[in-house]
Amino acid sequence: MTTANVCIILAIVVYLAGMIVIGYFNSKTTGSSSDFYLGGRKLGPVVTALSTEASDMSAYLLMGVPGLALFCGVAEASWTAIGLAAGTYLNWLFVARRLRLYSAKLDAITVPDFLSRRFHDRSKLIETIGALVIVIFFVPYTASAFVACGKLFNNMFGWAYVPTMIVSAIVIVAYCTLGGFMAASITSLIQALMMSFALIVVLIFGIRTAGGWGAVIENAKTVPGYLSLFASTSIESSAAGKYGFITIVSTLAWGLGYFGMPHVLIHFMAAKEEKQLKTSRRIATVWVVISLGVAVIIGLVGFAIMRLGLIESFASASAAESVIVRTAALMSQNGVFFAIIAGVILAGILAATMSTADVQLLAAASGITHNLLGSVFGLKLDEKKNLLIARLGVIAIAIVAIFFALNPNSSIFRVVSFAWAGFGATFGPVMLFALFWKRCNASGAIAGMVAGAVSIFLWKFLVRPLGGAWDIYELLPAFLVGSLFIVVVSLTTKAPEKEIVEEFESIS
C-alpha cells in the first residue's frame, strides 16, 4: 500500500471514529424517544441551518451534480441547482417558523404525527399513510447513500464494493442508534463544513491542474451545447438537442420537493426558538447557493482534467459521479500533505452521504416505531422500552437499505430524484395547506396524500415514457394533482370543527 493511500485511510478513519464518539457522548443526554427523534427541540440557529442543509445535500451534491454536469453539460445540473436553491429559501421563509410553532403546540415529533394532530384525525389514516410513504421512499433514498460509500472506496482503493458499503452503513447506524437526532445534527454540522472544504479544495486544485479557467472553458466549448442552459447534450454527442421551456420548468420543480421532505421539516420542528429561524434561513440559503454552484463548476473542471488524460474517461453519467474521487486520487500523488488533504476530501464525500443517511434512518424508523407501532397500533411501552424500539427500528431500516444498495451500478442522482419526488408530492401539498389554509380538513389531506403518492408512480412509469411534452419530472404533475385533490375534497366535505379552526388561528 502506498504512503498516499495510508494517509488517506488515516484521515478517513479519524473522521469515522469522531462520528462514533459524538454519537456516544450524545447517548448520555438521550433519555426519551422524543429526545431520540427530535433532540428535545434544542437546536441553535447555526446547527439548525447547516445540519438541515447537510441532511438535504446528500451524495448528489459531491457526486450526483458534478457527475451530471461533467457528462451532460450545464443545463440539467444548473436548472436543478436553481430549483433547489429557490426551494430552500422559500421553505425556510414560509414553512420553518410556522411549523416550529404549530408542531410544538400540538406536541408532535414527526411529520405524520403533526399532520394527524393538525386535522384531529381519529381514524389514524393520515399517520398510517404518512408512515408507510416515509418507509417506502426512504429505503431507496438511504440505499443511495450507502451506494455512494461503497463506490467511494471501490473507486479509490479498488476494495470490494459490498463489504466497504456495509462497513460504512454500520458506522452510520452506530452513531445514529447511540445519540439519535442530536448526534445526527451535530455530526451534520461538522459534515457541512467538511463538504464545503472538499468542494473548495477540489475546485482550486482542479482549475490549476486543468491549466486555468480559460482552459476549462475552451475544453467545454468542444462539446456542442455543453455550456448552454438551453441545450441537451453529453460528452459523447456530436450535436446538441433542445433543452426547452417545459423541460426547464420540469427541472425547476425539484424545488417543490422541499415542502415535503421529512428529514428537512423535522429540523424546523427541532429548532430551539422560532425567532432564531431568520438567522438560520440566511445561513442555509447562502451555503446552498455556493455549494450547488461550485458542484456544477467542478463537473466542467473534471471534464477538462479528463480531456488531459489525468483521470480516466467516463462512459456514463453514473460513472462520472466519481469525478471528485478521481480528482482527490490525483491530488494525493503530490506528497504526504496533499494525500492527507485528499483523505479529508474523501471524508467530505462520506460526510455528504452520512449527513443525509443518518437523519433519513431516524425519520424512517420513527414512521414504524412511533407512528405505526405507538400511535396506530397503540403499543404502550415505558420510556426505556420506547427508546430501545426506536434504536432497533433504525437498525432494521438500515438492513433493508443495505439489500437495496447491493447493486453498485445504480445512479445516485436518479435514485434520489425519484425518492425526492415521492416525498414532495405526498407531503408537500398537504403540509402547505395544513399550515396556511384553515378550511382544509382531514378528508382533503388524506385524498391529497394518496393522490400525490399514486401519481408519482403513474407518471414515472406510464406517462413519462411516452416522451415529448409528457417527459416531465414526475414531481410537478403529482404535486399539482395532490393539491387539486386537497382543495376539491376539502370543499365538498364537512368543514373543520371549531376547535381545529381556533387551534389554527392561534398560530401567529
Side-chain angles (χ1 to χ4, degrees):
M1 184 177 292
T2 65
T3 302
N5 281 351
V6 171
C7 293
I8 291 171
I9 293 169
L10 180 62
I12 292 174
V13 168
V14 169
Y15 163 72
L16 294 177
M19 297 301 99
I20 295 176
V21 168
I22 290 172
Y24 172 76
F25 279 106
N26 276 278
S27 67
K28 306 295 185 181
T29 58
T30 305
S32 68
S33 57
S34 178
D35 288 340
F36 189 77
Y37 289 132
L38 212 58
R41 302 185 199 271
K42 300 173 185 175
L43 299 190
V46 177
V47 176
T48 300
L50 293 183
S51 65
T52 301
E53 298 315 318
S55 67
D56 161 37
M57 295 294 160
S58 61
Y60 73 78
L61 175 64
L62 292 184
M63 297 183 77
V65 173
L68 187 67
L70 186 156
F71 197 81
C72 300
V74 303
E76 184 174 359
S78 295
W79 287 115
T80 299
I82 292 168
L84 290 173
T88 295
Y89 177 75
L90 294 174
N91 202 29
W92 280 98
L93 182 65
F94 293 113
V95 174
R97 181 179 178 276
R98 190 165 176 84
L99 178 58
R100 169 63 179 81
L101 290 169
Y102 216 153
S103 63
K105 182 179 181 66
L106 299 178
D107 195 28
I109 64 173
T110 70
V111 171
D113 196 21
F114 166 72
L115 293 172
S116 181
R117 297 186 184 202
R118 156 66 177 88
F119 295 108
H120 293 208
D121 178 31
R122 300 176 184 86
S123 71
K124 301 295 182 181
L125 270 175
I126 291 177
E127 210 160 354
T128 302
I129 295 168
L132 290 175
V133 166
I134 282 177
V135 173
I136 289 170
F137 286 110
F138 261 146
V139 167
Y141 206 152
T142 305
S144 73
F146 294 167
V147 168
C149 291
K151 278 186 175 182
L152 188 154
F153 290 108
N154 179 257
N155 288 327
M156 190 69 197
F157 306 111
W159 294 348
Y161 167 81
V162 173
T164 52
M165 179 270 291
I166 293 175
V167 170
S168 301
I170 289 172
V171 173
I172 297 171
V173 171
Y175 73 76
C176 248
T177 53
L178 285 169
F181 184 80
M182 185 56 74
S185 296
I186 293 174
T187 55
S188 289
L189 170 64
I190 296 170
Q191 289 156 350
L193 298 175
M194 293 187 67
M195 290 157 67
S196 302
F197 176 82
L199 286 168
I200 292 169
V201 172
V202 168
L203 178 65
I204 295 172
F205 175 80
I207 291 175
R208 287 174 61 88
T209 303
W213 181 245
V216 171
I217 298 300
E218 288 305 313
N219 273 283
K221 287 179 178 179
T222 63
V223 179
Y226 196 78
L227 292 176
S228 174
L229 288 173
F230 305 100
S232 175
T233 189
S234 77
I235 57 177
E236 296 177 331
S237 300
S238 58
K242 184 180 180 182
Y243 205 86
F245 176 75
I246 292 177
T247 309
I248 290 172
V249 172
S250 169
T251 309
L252 286 173
W254 271 80
L256 292 173
Y258 278 108
F259 302 122
M261 291 299 124
H263 56 295
V264 172
L265 298 174
I266 59 174
H267 281 86
F268 298 160
M269 296 164 65
K272 186 175 182 180
E273 296 179 5
E274 66 277 1
K275 64 183 180 181
Q276 296 178 340
L277 289 171
K278 181 181 290 187
T279 301
S280 298
R281 181 180 76 230
R282 292 168 178 165
I283 295 171
T285 304
V286 170
W287 189 86
V288 164
V289 169
I290 294 175
S291 298
L292 284 169
V294 172
V296 173
I297 295 171
I298 284 175
L300 308 185
V301 174
F303 176 63
I305 297 174
M306 186 189 77
R307 289 291 294 270
L308 291 173
L310 298 175
I311 59 175
E312 68 180 36
S313 296
F314 301 110
S316 66
S318 176
E321 289 175 346
S322 64
V323 58
I324 289 184
V325 178
R326 295 300 184 190
T327 305
L330 183 64
M331 180 187 299
S332 70
Q333 298 171 13
N334 293 283
V336 172
F337 174 77
F338 285 101
I340 294 174
I341 297 298
V344 176
I345 290 170
L346 295 179
I349 296 178
L350 282 178
T353 301
M354 292 179 170
S355 61
T356 301
D358 52 19
V359 74
Q360 288 174 345
L361 284 171
L362 289 170
S366 70
I368 293 177
T369 59
H370 178 77
N371 296 119
L372 290 180
L373 295 181
S375 182
V376 176
F377 295 112
L379 183 64
K380 302 298 181 183
L381 300 172
D382 60 39
E383 204 56 69
K384 187 175 181 179
K385 290 180 180 177
N386 268 332
L387 194 55
L388 175 61
I389 291 294
R391 285 173 167 146
L392 291 175
V394 170
I395 296 171
I397 293 294
I399 290 173
V400 177
I402 286 172
F403 279 101
F404 273 78
L406 292 176
N407 176 18
N409 296 318
S410 57
S411 168
I412 296 167
F413 189 90
R414 302 304 175 192
V415 172
V416 170
S417 171
F418 183 64
W420 186 271
F423 287 126
T426 304
F427 291 115
V430 71
M431 180 59 69
L432 291 175
F433 282 107
L435 291 174
F436 298 106
W437 191 36
K438 64 182 177 183
R439 179 61 177 81
C440 186
N441 60 22
S443 297
I446 293 169
M449 292 173 71
V450 172
V454 171
S455 295
I456 286 294
F457 288 93
L458 293 178
W459 196 277
K460 171 74 173 179
F461 298 107
L462 295 180
V463 179
R464 195 170 184 183
L466 297 175
W470 301 107
D471 187 17
I472 298 173
Y473 181 33
E474 53 271 17
L475 173 54
L476 179 58
F479 192 98
L480 296 175
V481 168
S483 299
L484 179 63
F485 268 77
I486 291 172
V487 173
V488 171
V489 174
S490 291
L491 292 177
T492 55
T493 54
K494 185 180 178 182
E497 299 169 4
K498 182 180 179 182
E499 180 184 355
I500 298 176
V501 174
E502 290 177 347
E503 202 170 65
F504 177 93
E505 292 176 341
S506 70
I507 306 299
S508 57

